[in-house]
Amino acid sequence: MSGSPAALEPPADAVPPVRHPDAPAPGELLGAHYAECFGCGAGQPHGLHLQARAGEGVAVTAEFTVRPAHQGAPGLAHGGVLATALDETLGSLNWLLRTVSVTGRLETDFVRPVPVGTTLCLEAEVTAVAGRKIYSRAAGRVGGPDGPVAVRAQALFIEVKVDHFVQHGREQEIQAAMSDPDQIRRTRAFEVNP
């Protein structure tokens, strides 16, 4: 059954991930792939504005600060926002593999509440690759990279072609991104999990 928790476990023939030779260097800020992305884009006034950095191997670190617009219960981050932060961080791993992929499955554990005003420090790594399937995990900590775990996730990403976004995205945004005169921005809009 593809929807089972076993779907997040790499098969026996999975291989360790390999960092692409053209991947950003460890410590390098990855930047937003698309200005309108809710996770990393600067064009979203209530977005996470998550900033990810390349780590060693096939790993990234990221952080975002929970703002009042991210509340669920009074004074606490909404669980969906925390899941989005994990998904965005996990999606940033694609920069290190130099693949285009989308989230196939994301399983999130909420360990402790995250108050408004907290900066969540996230770490993510690819654990295995099997064909088009990319297996990864992430954790978010409060109070710094050594703080207590507040959220964690396991994920399965599926490598896709750029056509996936063109065929399924809303026409006006696809056309705007494709007609951007800045070739780098135009390419980046379709490079990683949106």
Side-chain angles (χ1 to χ4, degrees):
M1 175 186 225
S2 65
S4 71
L8 294 172
E9 294 300 321
D13 63 346
V15 297
V18 176
R19 185 187 188 103
H20 193 280
D22 296 332
E28 187 175 328
L29 188 63
L30 301 179
H33 71 95
Y34 177 52
E36 297 301 319
C37 174
F38 182 80
C40 65
Q44 287 290 338
H46 298 297
L48 303 184
H49 303 159
L50 188 134
Q51 294 191 355
R53 289 188 182 280
E56 296 293 331
V58 187
V60 298
T61 59
E63 63 179 43
F64 89 98
T65 300
V66 178
R67 295 180 288 146
H70 303 144
Q71 292 180 84
L76 296 174
H78 189 287
V81 169
L82 297 175
T84 300
L86 288 163
D87 185 50
E88 185 69 30
T89 303
L90 289 157
S92 296
L93 291 164
N94 294 316
W95 292 111
L96 305 181
L97 297 173
R98 301 291 292 180
T99 62
V100 178
S101 69
V102 295
T103 310
R105 183 173 173 89
L106 176 69
E107 184 175 295
T108 306
D109 296 316
F110 300 95
V111 179
R112 67 175 56 237
V114 180
V116 170
T118 299
T119 297
L120 195 63
C121 297
L122 300 125
E123 301 170 313
E125 67 176 342
V126 175
T127 58
V129 176
R132 294 177 43 228
K133 295 180 177 182
I134 302 164
Y135 297 86
S136 54
R137 64 180 169 218
R141 298 175 180 272
V142 295
D146 297 321
V149 172
V151 291
R152 61 178 165 252
Q154 284 187 277
L156 169 64
F157 280 74
I158 308 296
E159 187 174 350
V160 297
K161 304 278 186 223
V162 171
D163 293 350
H164 168 86
F165 303 102
V166 175
Q167 292 169 2
H168 299 289
R170 193 169 73 161
E171 182 69 21
Q172 67 191 68
E173 284 85 0
I174 295 298
Q175 288 305 317
M178 291 178 77
S179 63
D180 189 323
D182 184 316
Q183 182 178 1
I184 293 171
R185 269 198 320 254
R186 185 171 61 241
T187 302
R188 283 179 67 109
F190 299 101
E191 278 189 343
V192 299
N193 175 51

